[in-house]
Amino acid sequence: MAQVWKCSGLRWSPDGPVLVWDGGRRSALPWGKRVGFAVPEGSARECVGARGHACPTRAAVPGRSTGARCEECARLDRAHSVAADTIADDPRPYRVYLAWFGPGMVKVGITAVERGSARLLEQGAVCFSWLGTGPLMAARRTEELLRAALQVPDRIPYAEKRAVRSVLPGTGEERAAQVRELHARAVALSGWPESLRPEPCEVTDHVGVFGLAGVPAALGEVVELVPGGGVSGELVAAAGPDLHLAVGGRGVVVLDTRLMTGWQLVPPAAPEAAGLTFPVREFARPQEGLF
């Protein structure tokens, strides 16, 4: 019987994306690596639990859920979360950032200084710049200032991020332009918290890190994993939680690795044969080249 693995998600290391498995095993994902797995017939997706603890009821969760948690575990996971804005007493310093995902898509957000740029890699930010550094609540107030004064969102759905990766501008300067313009407008605003130190606009570009330069445009995205289904393809790019896989005659398809958590996974029946039998949603319109 094939060995069964359970995925804990995708992480970004200094050397690139890495899949992490229950038990601590890690699988590096260099470009060109063949990524393949299958879901056994008759299996079901189970809640991954909360804050390091298993779900007490091993509840079933929907295949399309990117959180892979039941309602109770999701509540517990967010009960002490900076992202969910449920704590205000974190003493660590925070940074406010501007992140760009494609034409017309800039968001404001915050991350702990100690995390460096990890949060930006996890979100799939094509480029970004720091805006300011200070205490958590000062960072939160600055985030709210930009939302109110400049209508800058603090969230952009992943589906929208994927849809514009094929139309990114060809140069770093072009990609940085909107971040630079918004940074200038943000620092000119009145009402900044006194405890937040402004940061100069220094744009970091992730096109090379994500492998997006010259990559074939994706034709669609996997919407869920299903029992009896599988995928095997060559990794051509990755951004945030997304793997861009070339799967033979179907071209490049995006797999959100958050859909893998909670499932029992086994090697594909034919590891070297490219293929895909999970449901796929094709993108609304044909996508030309990246540049």
Side-chain angles (χ1 to χ4, degrees):
M1 181 177 178
Q3 186 171 9
V4 173
W5 297 91
K6 297 193 78 171
C7 183
S8 299
L10 185 143
R11 305 288 183 271
W12 283 89
S13 75
D15 297 321
V18 176
L19 278 177
V20 181
W21 307 91
D22 285 10
R25 179 183 172 183
R26 299 166 69 88
S27 300
L29 296 172
W31 311 137
K33 181 183 179 69
R34 182 158 295 281
V35 176
F37 61 87
V39 177
E41 289 280 6
S43 60
R45 194 183 192 196
E46 293 182 354
C47 173
V48 297
R51 310 194 69 80
H53 300 285
C55 177
T57 62
R58 300 176 64 181
V61 291
R64 300 193 179 200
S65 166
T66 54
R69 289 186 173 90
C70 66
E71 185 175 342
E72 180 61 17
C73 286
R75 184 187 66 79
L76 291 173
D77 190 64
R78 295 177 68 84
H80 191 73
S81 166
V82 171
D85 204 17
T86 56
I87 60 174
D89 57 353
D90 190 334
R92 298 176 297 171
Y94 276 78
R95 275 175 166 162
V96 185
Y97 61 80
L98 295 172
W100 184 88
F101 300 91
M105 290 188 181
V106 183
K107 62 157 282 187
V108 60
I110 70 171
T111 185
V113 169
E114 65 187 36
R115 295 208 67 210
S117 61
R119 181 66 177 148
L120 285 305
L121 293 167
E122 292 166 357
Q123 294 185 55
V126 176
C127 62
F128 77 95
S129 175
W130 303 121
L131 185 61
T133 303
L136 172 59
M137 294 313 294
R140 279 291 187 214
R141 287 196 295 274
T142 305
E143 189 180 39
E144 178 56 36
L145 175 65
L146 265 67
R147 287 201 301 264
L150 302 179
Q151 289 74 56
V152 183
D154 63 348
R155 287 178 177 82
I156 294 177
Y158 277 101
E160 296 181 17
K161 299 175 188 179
R162 294 174 191 130
V164 297
R165 284 185 195 144
S166 65
V167 292
L168 298 178
T171 69
E173 280 302 311
E174 290 176 293
R175 294 190 291 271
Q178 194 172 0
V179 173
R180 296 189 191 283
E181 186 270 338
L182 190 57
H183 189 286
R185 293 174 62 197
V187 297
L189 291 173
S190 59
W192 272 56
E194 293 183 1
S195 56
L196 193 90
R197 182 182 75 252
E199 300 277 1
C201 185
E202 297 178 352
V203 179
T204 298
D205 192 293
H206 285 154
V207 161
V209 175
F210 291 156
L212 293 174
V215 72
L219 303 178
E221 59 186 343
V222 174
V223 295
E224 64 178 322
L225 275 56
V226 294
V231 62
S232 182
E234 177 187 340
L235 181 66
V236 295
D242 296 341
L243 302 182
H244 289 235
L245 302 175
V247 289
R250 300 195 65 166
V252 174
V253 176
V254 180
L255 170 65
D256 185 338
T257 54
R258 296 175 299 173
L259 297 175
M260 297 169 61
T261 57
W263 285 104
Q264 294 184 338
L265 303 176
V266 297
E272 299 305 316
L276 174 64
T277 52
F278 295 130
V280 171
R281 177 192 299 115
E282 294 187 0
F283 290 128
R285 53 191 173 85
Q287 303 196 18
E288 305 294 336
L290 180 63
F291 302 128

